[in-house]
Amino acid sequence: MASRNRQILLAQRPNGLPDQSTYSFVETEIPSLEPNEVLVKAQYLSVDPYMRGKMSDAKSYTAPFELNKPLQGGVVGTVIESKHTKFNPGDTVTGLLDWADYTAIDGNQIRKIDPNRAPITTALYVTGMPGLTAYFGLLNIGQPKEGETVVVSGAAGAVGMIVGQIAKIKGCRVVGIAGSDEKNAYLTEELGFDAAINYKTTDNIRKALKEACPNGIDVYFDNVGGEISDAVFSLLNFHARIALCGQIAHYNDTQIEMGPRFLGNFLKRSVLLKGFIVSDYADQYREGVSDLAKWLSEGKIKYKENIVEGLENAPDAFLGLFRGDNLGKQLVKIS
Amino acid sequence: MASRNRQILLAQRPNGLPDQSTYSFVETEIPSLEPNEVLVKAQYLSVDPYMRGKMSDAKSYTAPFELNKPLQGGVVGTVIESKHTKFNPGDTVTGLLDWADYTAIDGNQIRKIDPNRAPITTALYVTGMPGLTAYFGLLNIGQPKEGETVVVSGAAGAVGMIVGQIAKIKGCRVVGIAGSDEKNAYLTEELGFDAAINYKTTDNIRKALKEACPNGIDVYFDNVGGEISDAVFSLLNFHARIALCGQIAHYNDTQIEMGPRFLGNFLKRSVLLKGFIVSDYADQYREGVSDLAKWLSEGKIKYKENIVEGLENAPDAFLGLFRGDNLGKQLVKIS
């Protein structure tokens, strides 16, 4: 057991894309425990696009990260020491923990996972926050019906790949939009998407979408925003549903971007649009995890991970989300 | 009984605002009846903003008006002749009829109204399509809760005035946005709105809204779109709901207008937006009419009509909706 604890702090709030000045790296003592707390040693850390929002202090659905405090994210780790009756040293647990080697946390804020049931990293992906985000956004907001057409932007991102596979389970035609031919080949050949559009090489995204969606678009799961969404919005069917999950095209905007006004179109087609965050559905997590774990064990949901080694590489792994580096879930292996 | 039937036809589809070339005026024979049909002599005709959409042949929620056929709208009239067992000469009826002195229509497409229960024109307003539009948009989509803040654009229009009064019945703080001080005085002094903003004389609509909505905005009933909505969108609370009823600022656009992208804001606040048309709620009309008639009889809903005389003035009365002439429901008295 190392005698020091490396932490990554939020040094200043980024204006636009985060860079080295956003972070500071410190070494501290390993924390000692208060009653009911548990000391967790991180094994894997999840980096996710939503964290960009928490680096700003703009009004949002969750409290921002605090300046000069450790950043936090989804972690799977091992209990080293416990002052909570539910946990013992050696337990594998998951929760929202520091970007650090060690975190001391109230035992009520973490949950135990069974390392024999599925690879432990799936608790950060298919049966964790990204999987639940896909599940509730698609099923509760999108309400896809058999035979309908579902379009997913950011389709090769962690959430997008799960969305498409759940939509296939529900009997839909599924069209993904992603940024490379390699990603798109994976979506159609490995994950069963019916079609995939490379927005970087297509000169007319609307035309490509129209060809891929001959019956129009019934459900749109949006991770991206911007011009891709503009094109989708022009092809919606009556009573289409839009699950607004991400706007990664805009997370680093430093001014208000302009785009075509589309609400007249939503009006004419009685469209539903709902922004959401996974915690809106916290009271249904148990049902979601149960379905996702079942589909995972049945092989109906496949997944891909991209694992970077070393806590010190977490900032760059996070930036990779915005460069479109990742095919599948980006994780950082800490120990 | 006149021996001729004046009709107003759609002569050509307008590009931008309708003008004289949009319409043609003809005189025809009074139609003779097929089995189950009823001949109705129009007394009052309703002109409503949604008709602009039906003058275009763009894909929409309802079929467009046909070229060289009579325009149609809500009418209250008198049965002159009947080949339908449910109707007798002298009955007062309402339905979607021609812009004309007389219409022959299947009796199943109209309904009888009781002229002793309420003024017959209320069937074109409070208990008719505009009232039901306010009712379902506000209550089914907006779901206002006691103490919440509801903002209505186009507040002095026919639908807007009912929306605000229903929101008051539900115990909300109600803020209207309209285009004259006279309209706003009516909203606050006669209809009980808590505040009203004149968007034509306010130099900073967002600032005025912020002052009028110290606790933010929970429900937005939008009849207008454009820059007014941009301002509202920047002040929405978490889990705000938007009933998208009209976009009158854009009905006569001849090209796609640009505006600030706002979906990042909807995402951060888990906002719901739903476009709708009253017929989406056709299976609940009975409940809506019942509530509206009750509130009307109890004096909880007041209304104002603006009545123009003469079928020949219907096109200009319709245009007045876009000039913002109207305070309350615009009707045309035919006979």
Side-chain angles (χ1 to χ4, degrees), chain A residues 261-264 267, chain B residues 152-155 177 199 205 220-233 242-251 253 257-260 262 273:
Chain A
R261 293 189 183 276
F262 52 79
L263 290 181
L267 175 59
Chain B
V152 192
S153 64
I177 305 170
Y199 71 90
I205 177 96
Y220 177 41
F221 192 105
D222 184 21
N223 291 301
V224 169
E227 294 176 8
I228 289 172
S229 290
D230 296 339
V232 173
F233 292 165
I242 299 170
L244 187 67
C245 176
Q247 292 282 287
I248 201 168
H250 299 296
Y251 289 172
D253 285 352
E257 295 290 320
M258 301 293 277
F262 52 79
L273 176 144

Side-chain angles (χ1 to χ4, degrees), chain A residues 58-61 222 226-227 230 233 236-239 244-247 250-251 256-264 266-277 280, chain B residues 58-61 222 226-227 230 233 236-239 244-247 250-251 256-264 266-277 280:
Chain A
K59 190 174 173 184
S60 184
Y61 41 64
D222 185 21
E227 293 177 9
D230 296 339
F233 292 165
L236 296 172
N237 288 334
F238 296 105
H239 292 117
L244 187 67
C245 176
Q247 294 280 287
H250 299 295
Y251 289 172
I256 294 172
E257 295 290 320
M258 302 293 277
R261 293 189 183 276
F262 52 79
L263 290 181
F266 280 24
L267 175 59
K268 284 181 204 153
R269 290 172 174 74
S270 287
V271 170
L272 168 80
L273 176 144
K274 178 83 180 69
F276 76 104
I277 178 172
D280 292 342
Chain B
K59 189 175 172 183
S60 184
Y61 41 65
D222 184 21
E227 294 176 8
D230 296 339
F233 292 165
L236 296 173
N237 288 334
F238 296 105
H239 292 117
L244 187 67
C245 176
Q247 292 282 287
H250 299 296
Y251 289 172
I256 294 171
E257 295 290 320
M258 301 293 277
R261 293 189 184 276
F262 52 79
L263 290 182
F266 281 24
L267 174 60
K268 284 180 204 154
R269 291 171 174 74
S270 288
V271 170
L272 169 80
L273 176 144
K274 177 83 180 72
F276 77 105
I277 178 172
D280 291 343

Side-chain angles (χ1 to χ4, degrees), chain A residues 45-60:
Chain A
L45 165 68
S46 175
V47 291
D48 298 281
Y50 78 88
M51 293 171 177
R52 176 62 186 83
K54 287 168 68 81
M55 291 178 183
S56 302
D57 54 5
K59 190 174 173 184
S60 184

Side-chain angles (χ1 to χ4, degrees), chain B residues 124-176:
Chain B
L124 296 176
Y125 186 20
V126 179
T127 56
M129 189 278 292
L132 290 167
T133 300
Y135 181 91
F136 291 113
L138 180 65
L139 299 182
N140 286 33
I141 299 172
Q143 303 203 10
K145 291 168 201 66
E146 193 173 337
E148 288 191 327
T149 298
V150 175
V151 171
V152 192
S153 64
V159 172
M161 297 203 301
I162 308 293
V163 169
Q165 292 180 87
I166 299 175
K168 287 308 298 178
I169 291 169
K170 297 296 176 184
C172 298
R173 175 173 178 81
V174 177
V175 177

